[in-house]
Amino acid sequence: MALLVNAVTKLVTSSGDGSSFQGPSITEFFPPAIFFAGTPFEINRIILIRFAMAAILILLFWLATRNMKLVPGKGQSLAEMALDVVRVNIAEDLLGKKDGKRFLPLLTAIFFTVLAMNIPGIFPGMNVAGSSLFGLPLTLAVVAYVTFIYAGLKKHPGTFLKASLFPPGVPWPIYIIVTPIEFFSIFILRPITLALRLLMNMVAGHLLLVLCFSATDFFFFSAALDQAAWARFFGIGTFAFGFVFTAFEILVAVLQAYVFTLLTTVYIQLALAEEH
């Protein structure tokens, strides 16, 4: 084990040109401006990825639905299957057919927006998710936040806030403790946790992939010549890990879209609950 550690240490601290291995850093999420530098409309690589994925998403759904038929073709069938994930498994399952139909456009938009922004993290040439900066997750979380509060106030205009902050059946003295906790968990933590859960998963996934593939590049092309055999051995390992983490990142991208939409729906369901 000591020999293995010493070999790795020597490899990553020296190379054929005297340089050392540089791992990923948080600065990768703040690329330089490409257009309109120094203005409120500054556009960098991540913003361009968001524009590109939004355009691709719109194009795919337009192509799939431009010629709707009673007997669907392949494109229409795929689109309907994808939409049913949200309609059947999330909206109708949690909200019922009436309320599910009412909130379906919003839930569908959230699901496919999150998915489209998550998936570029594995695309060559993009290599970073559009949701890996806090602005997009926060915007979606605010939309979810406004929606469930609107749903509660519209369904129970006179009792929603009272029932949320003062749960029925609790002795009055206990409200001194319960009410601040309920306020903090419902009206503060919900949007924050929605945004941070998505953000941190995408950031962690990107850093892992960059670490694996930059290490692979280093071990194969930059390691010192006298350590070539060891370098190739470790390079094969880091490439294998990178491949596995790429497949895992696809799963995470889909799962985070599902979880974000599911939690939004749960919050709406709680706001609509009859006990209010």
Side-chain angles (χ1 to χ4, degrees):
M1 179 61 72
L3 180 63
L4 185 63
V5 172
N6 289 336
V8 174
T9 303
K10 187 174 181 180
L11 277 171
V12 300
T13 56
S14 64
S15 67
D17 59 4
S19 62
S20 60
F21 172 70
Q22 299 294 326
S25 72
I26 203 71
T27 57
E28 296 189 25
F29 299 101
F30 303 96
I34 299 175
F35 303 110
F36 313 120
T39 72
F41 306 101
E42 181 175 299
I43 296 176
N44 57 30
R45 186 166 69 93
I46 295 180
I47 301 299
L48 286 179
I49 288 172
R50 290 175 178 174
F51 287 158
M53 294 312 298
I56 291 171
L57 185 62
I58 293 170
L59 177 63
L60 287 176
F61 274 102
W62 178 75
L63 290 174
T65 60
R66 62 176 176 165
N67 188 20
M68 301 287 285
K69 297 178 180 178
L70 186 61
V71 179
K74 292 182 180 179
Q76 183 181 334
S77 295
L78 288 173
E80 289 177 357
M81 288 172 60
L83 291 169
D84 279 346
V85 171
V86 182
R87 182 178 65 84
V88 177
N89 297 328
I90 299 179
E92 292 183 358
D93 195 31
L94 291 174
L95 300 176
K97 288 188 178 294
K98 181 181 177 181
D99 287 325
K101 183 178 180 180
R102 178 183 166 200
F103 291 99
L104 182 59
L106 174 69
L107 298 176
T108 301
I110 288 176
F111 178 84
F112 287 103
T113 297
V114 175
L115 179 59
M117 295 303 164
N118 286 353
I119 209 70
I122 63 162
F123 286 170
M126 292 186 176
N127 303 114
V128 63
S131 51
S132 59
L133 286 181
F134 194 54
L136 180 64
L138 180 61
T139 299
L140 293 172
V142 169
V143 169
Y145 177 78
V146 171
T147 301
F148 86 76
I149 291 179
Y150 161 80
L153 290 174
K154 186 173 180 62
K155 181 73 176 289
H156 312 285
T159 59
F160 171 67
L161 294 178
K162 179 181 178 182
S164 298
L165 298 176
F166 300 93
V170 177
W172 275 102
I174 306 300
Y175 283 131
I176 298 174
I177 300 173
V178 170
T179 298
I181 293 175
E182 290 295 306
F183 173 78
F184 189 71
S185 64
I186 295 175
F187 297 102
I188 304 296
L189 278 184
R190 281 184 182 179
I192 292 175
T193 54
L194 269 178
L196 288 180
R197 183 184 294 105
L198 175 58
L199 175 70
M200 290 297 102
N201 274 278
M202 293 302 103
V203 168
H206 173 77
L207 293 177
L208 277 173
L209 291 180
V210 171
L211 177 63
C212 289
F213 289 118
S214 60
T216 299
D217 178 78
F218 174 81
F219 286 135
F220 274 101
F221 302 109
S222 300
L225 294 177
D226 61 339
Q227 295 290 332
W230 280 104
R232 304 301 181 270
F233 172 77
F234 288 116
I236 293 171
T238 54
F239 179 79
F241 276 112
F243 182 81
V244 171
F245 281 127
T246 298
F248 183 70
E249 192 66 8
I250 296 173
L251 176 63
V252 170
V254 177
L255 185 61
Q256 286 304 309
Y258 181 82
V259 168
F260 197 104
T261 310
L262 182 69
L263 288 176
T264 301
T265 310
V266 168
Y267 297 154
I268 295 171
Q269 180 195 42
L270 293 173
L272 296 174
E274 291 299 331
E275 54 263 28
H276 288 115

